[in-house]
Amino acid sequence: MLETSARLLRLLSLLQARRDWPGGDLAERLGVTTRTVRADVDRLRSLGYPVHSTPGVAGGYRLGAGAALPPLLLDDDEAVAVAIGLRTAASGTVAGMAETSVRALAKLEQVLPSRLRQRVNALQTYTVPVPGGGPVVDADVLTAIARACRDREQLRFDYRPHNDAASLRTVEPHRLVSTGRRWYLVGWDRDREDWRSFRVDRLSPRIPTGPRFTPRQPPEGGFAAYVARGVTAVLWAYRAQVRVHAPAEVVVQRVPPTTWIVAPIDDRTCLLDAGADTPQLLAVYLGALDLDFDVLDAPELAAATRRLADRYARSAPARS
């Protein structure tokens, strides 16, 4: 009986790790016959696990979704990741998730081995969250949008732009993008015939969703870059582009995430779309990169950079 139980747990772990499993592959992994695999699958079904099967030579097994949530098997890294995610959600920007996350976390930590609990506790002890991160969004709204993106169904919603009247929008939803402080929906606006990004905390979906659509090519640079460009345009009063004499992967590590946009030119240079409140501040920020750069078609920034260079030169003592 112990051997059978251990084998059932191993079978369940395999079914959770991959979408489809041929019966022969499962038998080889478990060291049993395909007949034993069929018997073990029937045992899992009796325990409430919805295991679907496809007959024939090329047939196999798939763990599906059922009416109730059966127990899940997690390896060490997965358990730590879930615990950290729950702790983050407990103080995150999704409405209604804090209390639920705490309850789920309590259940998980009750059964965590001590070695894993120590890893999770170490992260919590030495991590300090910044309060007041951003607007809170409704978890049901996020779920509805994600489902429309997955099913490729048009989404109608009431949208309330900043200091403007609400309007009804019809969008082909493609992706949800999180900047860490805010959630954005990126979709093709059917009325404006162009890509648009929408703050999720300002929209109210109308259910049911609309007809299905054919996915479009993402905007230039991808969905995250599209949101970053929009955030940059709103956040900074002054923007300019510079050519940085360093690989894009180096520059990305030194610029504000989601607010400055880095695009590779070649293996040694990249284009940086940067912003600040004034040209003078932007010149200071660019100097802090500690990388050579060329100002491109931005006379105010060029002038501010020269003034800053002259000031630094005057402040440095002359060499004897």
Side-chain angles (χ1 to χ4, degrees):
M1 181 61 70
L2 180 60
E3 181 181 350
T4 301
S5 300
R7 192 175 63 245
L8 284 178
L9 291 175
R10 175 60 177 159
L11 173 59
L12 180 58
S13 178
L14 291 172
L15 290 171
Q16 290 177 349
R18 207 168 81 186
R19 181 174 176 83
D20 293 292
W21 278 97
D25 288 359
L26 286 174
E28 182 180 352
R29 290 289 191 97
L30 297 171
V32 297
T33 64
T34 55
R35 182 178 179 179
T36 301
V37 170
R38 288 195 297 270
D40 286 348
V41 166
D42 288 338
R43 292 187 180 97
L44 287 179
R45 287 169 176 162
S46 69
L47 294 173
Y49 292 94
V51 183
H52 306 304
S53 59
T54 304
V57 178
Y61 300 94
R62 173 188 298 181
L63 185 62
L69 179 65
L72 301 176
L73 292 179
L74 303 173
D75 63 27
D76 286 3
D77 290 339
E78 290 170 340
V80 171
V82 171
I84 292 172
L86 288 171
R87 290 193 175 189
T88 302
S91 58
T93 59
V94 181
M97 293 296 288
E99 182 180 351
T100 305
S101 299
V102 170
R103 291 201 308 268
L105 181 61
K107 293 179 181 179
L108 178 60
E109 291 191 336
Q110 182 178 357
V111 297
L112 277 180
S114 60
R115 67 180 188 281
L116 301 185
R117 192 179 299 111
Q118 290 173 5
R119 289 171 59 182
V120 176
N121 289 338
L123 181 67
Q124 182 185 36
T125 301
Y126 295 100
T127 301
V128 180
V130 177
V136 175
V137 302
D138 193 308
D140 291 337
V141 172
L142 279 178
T143 302
I145 295 174
R147 188 180 300 116
C149 292
R150 180 199 62 191
D151 297 338
R152 301 174 181 174
E153 294 178 343
Q154 292 181 23
L155 186 66
R156 295 192 309 152
F157 54 86
D158 298 299
Y159 191 64
R160 305 173 303 279
H162 181 61
N163 294 331
D164 201 355
S167 60
L168 177 62
R169 314 297 283 267
T170 302
V171 170
E172 298 174 0
H174 279 68
R175 290 293 188 278
L176 279 167
V177 177
S178 173
T179 64
R181 298 183 59 192
R182 292 185 175 90
W183 287 89
Y184 293 87
L185 164 65
V186 181
W188 181 266
D189 192 314
R190 293 184 59 84
D191 296 325
R192 292 155 180 79
E193 289 295 315
D194 200 1
W195 290 103
R196 291 289 189 273
S197 64
F198 305 91
R199 277 180 47 176
V200 175
D201 60 294
R202 293 178 177 173
L203 65 82
S204 300
R206 295 194 178 189
I207 306 299
T209 52
R212 293 175 64 88
F213 63 88
T214 301
R216 301 175 184 268
Q217 284 294 112
E220 182 181 358
F223 297 106
Y226 180 81
V227 171
R229 287 194 293 269
V231 172
T232 300
V234 174
L235 186 61
W236 305 118
Y238 179 79
R239 294 174 57 200
Q241 291 187 338
V242 299
R243 180 173 53 243
V244 183
H245 295 267
E249 56 268 21
V250 173
V251 178
V252 165
Q253 302 300 321
R254 304 190 186 190
V255 301
T258 74
T259 57
W260 286 16
I261 304 168
V262 181
I265 298 176
D266 52 39
D267 293 341
R268 295 180 296 175
T269 60
C270 62
L271 185 67
L272 176 61
D273 189 333
D277 290 336
T278 65
Q280 291 75 22
L281 275 177
L282 183 54
V284 173
Y285 295 159
L286 291 171
L289 293 178
D290 196 25
L291 297 168
D292 291 339
F293 63 89
D294 304 317
V295 178
L296 304 176
D297 194 25
E300 302 90 349
L301 177 60
T305 303
R306 285 192 293 269
R307 289 195 298 271
L308 186 62
D310 291 341
R311 182 173 298 114
Y312 285 164
R314 291 193 300 270
S315 67
R319 293 182 178 180
S320 56

